[in-house]
Amino acid sequence: MTTRRTVLKASGATPAAPSAGPAAMPALPPGIDAVGVYMMGKTGNWAELMPEIVNFKTGGVLKSVFSNGIVKGDINGHVEGKQAKVTATFPVAIAVYLPEGTEITEYQLLRLRESGKSREFRSMTGGVFHSSGGAKRDNIEFQPKKLAPRIYEITLDPSLGKGEYGLLPPGSYSSSNMASGGKIYTISVIE
């Protein structure tokens, strides 16, 4: 070791700085520590939202069969209870920590409609021809804001109006039969 230092000094070169190691990961927003969906609380901290069970039934099956799958059906989701367990006031900030390999555009923001003692929505499973027929009536477009790698924020503003809202993750509806179940994250916006 002594010989090397002597050689470096004699040549005018300086020893290489020690490696800093792998680049440090950006810090996660406070309160977000795992893949999931979170809501900004009144204290300014993110709190995890727990999902509710949603049951699906398909519509437009005959159209899909007779068009060789070109016209896709829609899905009708049904969530028990007239109101979400979580209530909020505008603006509502939701954060989504995405699973590896998933994009925020795969999530659907939906308006839930009261139906007896439960809530329901209609959404589209795909297909250009069917999209004009009301299958997207409950879908709400959103502009996600990137907070960190794989973490996005979605804001519900007063222009949406009070009511029941849900965030449907990808893969919630994956059954090819007539009925299946999945999960949805719901919020009741009271004003």
Side-chain angles (χ1 to χ4, degrees):
M1 188 73 100
T2 309
T3 309
R4 181 167 181 213
R5 287 188 190 177
T6 307
V7 173
L8 289 174
K9 284 184 181 179
S11 69
T14 56
S19 172
M25 289 289 292
L28 296 175
I32 298 177
D33 56 4
V35 169
V37 177
Y38 299 80
M39 187 176 89
M40 178 67 74
K42 292 179 183 180
T43 61
N45 294 323
W46 292 106
E48 188 172 9
L49 283 176
M50 299 312 293
E52 288 190 67
I53 295 172
V54 60
N55 294 302
F56 297 103
K57 289 188 179 176
T58 57
V61 174
L62 290 178
K63 289 180 189 176
S64 183
V65 169
F66 289 120
S67 69
N68 259 348
I70 294 173
V71 176
K72 302 289 184 185
D74 54 6
I75 56 171
N76 298 303
H78 178 85
V79 184
E80 288 297 321
K82 292 176 85 170
Q83 187 176 12
K85 294 177 178 109
V86 176
T87 59
T89 58
F90 287 117
V92 179
I94 302 167
V96 183
Y97 191 166
L98 301 173
E100 191 75 41
T102 303
E103 298 295 330
I104 190 66
T105 53
E106 297 177 61
Y107 283 74
Q108 293 181 56
L109 180 61
L110 302 160
R111 176 179 286 279
L112 307 180
R113 300 173 185 275
E114 188 177 325
S115 175
K117 294 183 178 182
S118 61
R119 293 157 286 156
E120 64 182 21
F121 63 87
R122 182 179 301 153
S123 185
M124 197 169 77
T125 57
V128 201
F129 299 111
H130 197 62
S131 64
S132 61
K136 292 178 71 171
R137 75 169 186 194
D138 297 324
N139 289 57
I140 300 169
E141 295 210 17
F142 61 90
Q143 298 299 317
K145 175 184 166 188
K146 191 170 189 173
L147 299 178
R150 295 179 27 220
I151 301 177
Y152 290 85
E153 181 178 335
I154 300 167
T155 303
L156 306 181
D157 62 47
S159 67
L160 294 172
K162 66 182 182 177
E164 300 291 315
Y165 295 92
L167 188 65
L168 187 66
S172 288
Y173 176 77
S174 59
S175 176
S176 60
N177 63 13
M178 299 294 272
S180 69
K183 65 182 178 181
I184 189 168
Y185 298 90
T186 63
I187 299 171
S188 180
V189 182
I190 53 177
E191 51 178 273

